[in-house]
Structures are given as structure tokens and as C-alpha cells.
Amino acid sequence: MSVEPSSTSTAPSAAAFADRHIGARADAVETMLKAVGYDSLDGLVDMAVPAAIRQNFPLVLDPAKSEEETLAALRRIAGRNKTAVQMIGQGYYGTHTPPVILRNVVEDPAWYTAYTPYQPEISQGRLEALLNFQTMVQDLTALPIANASLLDEATAVAEAVLLMRRSNKSKGNAAVVLDSELFPQTIAVVKGRAKALGFDVIVADLGNGLPDGELAGVVLQQPGASGVVRDQSSLIADAKERGALVTVAADLLAMTLITPPGEQGADIAVGSVQRFGVPLFYGGPHAAYMAVRKGLERSLPGRLVGVSKDSAGTPAYRLALQTREQHIRREKATSNICTAQALLAIVASMYAVYHGPAGLTAIARRAHDSARSLATALKTAGVELLHESFFDTVTARVPGRAAGVIAAAEAKGINLRRIDADTVGISADETTTPAVIADVAAVFGAAPAESAEGFDLPAGLLRTSEFMTHPVFSSYRSETQMLRYLRRLSDRDLALDRTMIPLGSCTMKLNATAEMQAMTWPEFASIHPFAPDSQTEGWRELIADLEEKLAVITGYDTVSIQPNAGSQGELAGLLAIRGYHHSRGDVQRNVCLIPASAHGTNAASAVLAGMKVVVVATAADGAIDHADLRAKIDANRGNLAAIMITYPSTHGVFDDDVRDVCEAVHEAGGQVYIDGANLNALVGLAQPGEFGGDVSHLNLHKTFCIPHGGGGPGVGPVAAKAHLAPFMPGDAATWTGGEDIPVSASRFGSAGVLPISWAYVSLMGGEGLTSATKHALLAANYVAARLNEYFPVLYTGKGGLVAHECILDLRELTARTGVTAEDVAKRLVDYGFHAPTLSFPVAGTLMVEPTESEDLGEMDRFIDAMIAIRAEIDQVAAGDFTLEASPLRNAPHTAVVVAANEWDRDYPREQAAFPLRSLRMDKYFPPVGRIDGAAGDRNLVCSCPPIEDFEN
């Protein structure tokens, strides 16, 4: 999965990588500075960034390394990890990633550099892949509605618990019951959420029936953590008879053989799809799923793909219902999930497409038969087995010998699970071989079984219903077919490998190949999150080093990389603030001030942390309204827990007053949370931990080059000052209920993608990172300066400058002509561009962030497109054509439309398809026209064949 550098290659200078990461060459910088009105880059930066927050010392990190030196360092670190046969289980299993998927999804920038599919016309490929994921989950769980992935199994169960409580409001504060057969990390994460929100959770052995008392919800595991497989239908019926909703955490591979949750009466099913071709990655990233019965779909967290139609009536996909719901519902949102794990969900969906239902069933049978073979050997040798009915996990009692058995297995290169001093768990998977089973049997003192005898799944629990009957799951059996299917889907999309993605607040920058290379090395990718520390020294070295460097960059004292999304980093930061106040006896401090312009996830995260949201008004210039801030502080002085601010502001401006805001909150006894979404404007120039922040989350999938992957993986580390260190996220596997509440199933969250950010910091060094920030500021100001006369820049700071992004105001043009920001966004597709951020944070605007990685030619191409679109708006204003008949309202134009025999529109075909001459040689045609959003909300389940079947 890796290629060693050629021994004959000549290593470039250490400075060369920063030169390649930053798009603008020296002559281009001069041109851009001239357009902005400055003689030097430092002069522009000195004007844009307030002196009151500037760090007066250079960012001191290890000197920048070349690509070859960085990869050699990663080789050394990886070499400190020890690969093993992983049979620990507990929700994490060995799996084979089909090479055609590894090379053409995981390692293909067409997939990993794509953005979340909020613009569906240029996202039809990844939307189809995610719809395949939903269909797979619906079929395997036998529930009618599934989402397009969540973060991990433990947090998915927590989301299900919250959904059950919301949907069972009549139950008030009735308890939620967790089966003791849930994985320990799942129980810990749910208890942590319950601790913050103040509701009761009961953990009980539901093999003995339900506990007494009023119940809001019940969570079961199938198969259980001990491996047990039980008929849960009567227990589910009892729970529902008592008014409770029921969630089953189900292993999807096992569901090919076992009666699924929906057929046993469950309301909700959740779980992980890691074993569907997603490497262990030392704990993540791994996509989770959630499926629900009819009636619960509007409470479903995360994203949901629906089937709609475009302007020509062609079937088309779009995100439905929950599209950016946090920005709409804010503190009333059903979840704070923003980044999910889309790339990993796509891997899992393609694994299912490649293997099909028969292939998945065969894989499941092999895993089950491996476990049966081991159980036969152990039973023959007199070893006591905890259960006679299991899927892939055998639990054995070896009184007083567990440590010895596990040590003997480790000596053979096999990791088993130590449950306690007397009990060992062994989980088989698709990678398990007869030789491995023989070695495991030997450490128990058993001889390998000649054949598996007994241990069959109960006849009444065997699955009889069909699943994955959609043609997509039976059409791509050969690698040639699969390769072409993946290519066909990726060609429908616009990703960063094809064009600039100028999304404000999203920092779509270069994800360099050298940064990406190490993540699929087996020494990183095949490590189990609960492997012994003696086997993970390399991982822990890399993580500790990255955390230390992030602390230096941000000016904080401690960093935890556990949060596996920016939203989870927000939650972790607020939970740390909560823990701090509680430790001081200030349990009444639960008010969180949030500016009206803040990211929507801020308010949702505050609610999940058990806080009450109080909104602070925004002044006309986009800054916080100080009069309103003072009034809100005074009104809540005794209860003030925190303020959440984004810096630079969500409006793309460096506010001069940020220290004043921080001091006012501190004086009232509150803490300051600074959202790190816009950190790309600060690195090397200012440190949030030094200008007033107590805690921040960072977005490694923005500032530190982890690619967006079509909507995840994300990593949202939380950085804090020393007084909050005791309240940073604890390890779910060992958490004992303190204020260090875990926010992810595994100790290090989505560790698998951390080599990307580690490599970025190594390649850039302190000087390179600072230069990147300066060039990001220059790029944004260049775009703002060039476009201001065509689309006025809404907010500016000192000297009329913006930070790393700018908001283009279309509201006056809309009032005069009817042309909307959405019309401009769709017309940009015809120019080969992903749209800027649409109508956030201000309705009727476009927020543009070019980043430091874009060269002058690409930025000019975008600017030329926007100027040409303004000319078309002027044509509408002049009456050359009506708005409804304009290329703006009819955009985007598909190849089918412009190549049709008849053309009766009021503008020429060339204007529709090739509005700039530069497009003639390299033209992207969207696969569908403008999509009807309302129809997508009405059709949440795909029962139709692929789009190609509808083509004329």
C-alpha cells in the first residue's frame, strides 16, 4: 500500500514543499498586492490583523523537512508500531479493503478532496454512493429509513438515546436502559452524554428481563459484547408495551445471517460499518449508521440522501431534510453532527456493491465458522465457554489464566481481549485463517478441531428475508466493472482535484500526496485501538508530537485529538468548561452566550453540553454588539458559564475588540470558547490561547490539510489552558464517571488520518505555516478587491481589508433584478466551479475563501466567471431576457440540453455551455440540471434504478 522513494532521486530543499503548497509565485504576489493596494505582504498583514492580538515572536517549530525526509520520519515512527492478528473485537475487526476500492476511493483525490454534497448538481456521484450506503443499511437492518452516516458506534448509540428521549416526550425524565452486553466504550459515551444533560441511565443485564420503573428507551446489542446471540423479539415487545422505544446496536455483517432488528420490532438500529472494508486505523475514522422506523425520519440526526428530479424531469439525488439543519434550527437542532464520515461510508457502500449480498453472506459464514471451529477445539479440551450461541466472538473462562493466555497469544502475533482475570474474548473476522485458529487454540492448551461441531445459530433467529436486491448490488462483480463504476461516479462530481472550491469557512486547500501517503501503511492502518501500549509506541509518539505542536501553534497548554469532528471538538470544549465550573461548586453556571452570526453547531453543541443558549446581537459592521453583550452578561452574571466566539468572525473580519469581549466575560466569571473554524487566518500570526481564549477546537480537515472526503473524515482537536486540562476528554474504555467526559469511542478518535496533519506541519515548519497564513489573507483580499465593484463586499475591517474570506452581497442585485445568490451558485457550475458558501452567515450572500493553495491563474478564472455572471445579471436588468428565461435561472446546463436538436431559449447555446472561451478545451458538464429540493424531501427512499436508465 506504499511506494518507497527512489534511491536515485535527488531530495529537494526543505523550503521546496512550502513553495508548492502556496499557489502564488513571487510575480503573482506582486500582482495581487498591487490590486489590493499594498507594496508588501507584511504591510497588508500588519494592517489586516489587529496589533492587539499579534504574537510578537516567530512560530518556532522543528525546521521544515522535505517530502523524502518527512516520509522517512513517518517510516521510523510507523516502525515503532507492531502489527498483529487483531482478535480483540469489541466493535473493531480485521477486514480486507478490496484493492480496487483502496486505490480508486481511499487513495483517489476525486473522492477524498470532494466537499459535502450541499450543491447536488455537482455531487451526483458521491450522492449515489451514499444512497447505496443508505440502501445497504436499510436492507440489512430491515428498517425503512437510514441516514448517510454518523461518526462511530458509541456516539451513534448516544444519538439514538437522545432521539428516543425526544420522541418520547410524554415520558418526561423516565430512564433509558442500556443492556450490559453493549460495548464498554458505548456505555461510557452514553453515560457521559446523560451526565451533561441530566437524565438517568440504567445499565442492566437484560437477559434477565427489563428493570422496574418507567422507561423512555431501551438499547440492546446484537450480537452482544460477549458474543452472545439472543432472540430479542419478546424483550423488544415488552419494552414497547411499557411505552419505551427500542434501539438495537447491530453488527451489519451478522445481519446477513441473523433476523434483523426491524423484523424483531426495533424502532432504531445503529452500529459501525468498519468491518465493511474500512481499516482499523487505531480507532478511526469509521462510519457509523442509523436506521429508523417510519415516523422517526424527521428526528434522524446527520444527513439523509433523497431522490428528486432536475429541471428536465431526470431523477437526481440531493441531501434532504437535514441539510445544514444546525444553521437553521441552531439550539433546537436534533444533533450537532456536521462533518460525518462520508468517505468511509462510501468505502463501506462500495465494499457491499463489490461483494453483493451473496458475497457478504459468505464472508459472514466464514467468520462464524472460524468462531465455531475455535469453540469446538476449546470445548473438546475442557475449556468452559460462556455461550453456546454466537456469531463471531467466543468468550472463554480460564480461571486465573487470562493474562497468561493473552501473553502467549501475543507471543504468536495474535491479540485477544482480556475481559477480566478469568475471562478471554476471541473475535474472528474475514481475515481469520485456519492457521490462526490453530494458534489460538494452542495457547488455551487445545488441539485444532478437525471440523466445527454444533454452535449453530438458533434456527428461529436465522434470517429468511432477502436483502440488497437493488441491481447496484449485483451489477459489478468483476474488477473491470467496479473500476469503471467508480470512475463513472467520480466523473460526475467536482472535487478539488478538478477545480478551486471557494467555500467560505471551509478552507478547501491542498491535500498533498506526500501528506496522504502514510495513512494506508499497514503499520498505521492495521492497529486495533485497544492493542497493548507496547504495540502502539509509534502511534502514541506521533499523536503526542502533533498535540504538542498544536499547543505551540495555538498558545494553549494542552491538546486532545480525541474529538472526531469539529462539532465534537466544540462539545468537548464546552464539557471541559462545564467540568471546571462544577469542580468549583458553580453548578449554576450554565448560560452560554453565542453571537447571532455564529456557526449553527455552536448552539447545538452548547445544548448537548447541558447549557442554556443566550444569543448576543450582531452590530451593523458585523462585530458583536457591545451594548447587547454587556446587557446579556449583566442579566446572567451569576449563571454565566461561557461565551462562544469565532475568530476571525464568521463574517470574515478581524474584530479589534476581541480582547475586550474576552475580558468582559472573564470578569463575570465565565470562560471563553474560541471556535477554531477560521484558524487558517491566524497560524503564526496570533494565538487564541494568548488573546483571551480558555479553550478552542481546531479543524484538522480545514487548517491542517486532512481532506474533506465528501463530508468527512473530520478531526476536531480541543486545545485548552492548564486550568481546563483535568476536564479534557477521557478514555471511554477506562472512564469512571468523572468530569473528563469522553466524546468518542476510542481514546484517540480518528487517529488514522493524523499522519496527514503531522506531515503537513513537518513539511511546512513554523516559517512555512506562517507564510501560508499570510498568503491566505492576500488571496482573500485579492478576490475581494477584484470583485467589489461587481458584488460589494459586505463586511471589511481596518483599511477596508478582510481576513481569509469575504462575503459578497447580492441582496441589492436580487431586489433589483430577482437574480438570487442561488442563481449565481448554479450558474458557476457552467463555468466549472463549485459555488462559494451560499447564504451563510447572511442570507442572500456568497462567502468566498480561496485559501493559500490557489494560484493566481485559478483565482482569475473564478473572478472572470463572476464578472461574466454579473454581465448576465445586467442583461436581465436591461431586459435582454427575463429572469425566468435567463441562463442564470436555467443553470446549470447539461450536455443533453445544449446538444438537443431544438434550442428555443433567449440566449445562444454557446452562452449556455461555453460562456468563456477558456472553457472550450476543458469543460465540465453537470450530469443533471437544477434539482427540485422539495421533491427530494418527499422521496427519502430509493426504489428506482440508476440514473442512466432514465436517459433518452
Side-chain angles (χ1 to χ4, degrees), residues 850-924:
T851 84
E852 73 275 11
S853 293
E854 297 301 338
D855 62 83
L856 179 58
E858 185 72 353
M859 284 186 279
D860 281 345
R861 193 169 74 87
F862 171 74
I863 290 166
D864 290 346
M866 291 294 289
I867 292 172
I869 289 171
R870 173 57 198 264
E872 292 181 337
I873 296 174
D874 291 342
Q875 285 186 278
V876 173
D880 293 354
F881 33 64
T882 66
L883 172 59
E884 294 303 320
S886 72
L888 293 151
R889 185 56 53 89
N890 287 288
H893 298 81
T894 65
V896 171
V897 167
V898 298
N901 290 332
E902 296 183 3
W903 182 264
D904 58 359
R905 304 195 180 188
D906 294 345
Y907 49 93
R909 293 178 196 260
E910 185 175 32
Q911 184 175 357
F914 302 106
L916 294 176
R917 290 183 62 86
S918 60
L919 293 168
R920 294 182 180 182
M921 288 294 290
D922 185 17
K923 169 67 179 178
Y924 167 80

Side-chain angles (χ1 to χ4, degrees), residues 188-201 575 578-579 582 608-610 735-741:
V189 169
V190 173
K191 281 186 170 182
R193 293 288 180 93
K195 182 181 179 74
L197 291 171
F199 64 87
D200 292 331
V201 169
L575 289 175
R578 176 190 180 278
H582 282 221
L608 286 179
W735 186 62
T736 57
E739 296 291 351
D740 56 334
I741 296 174

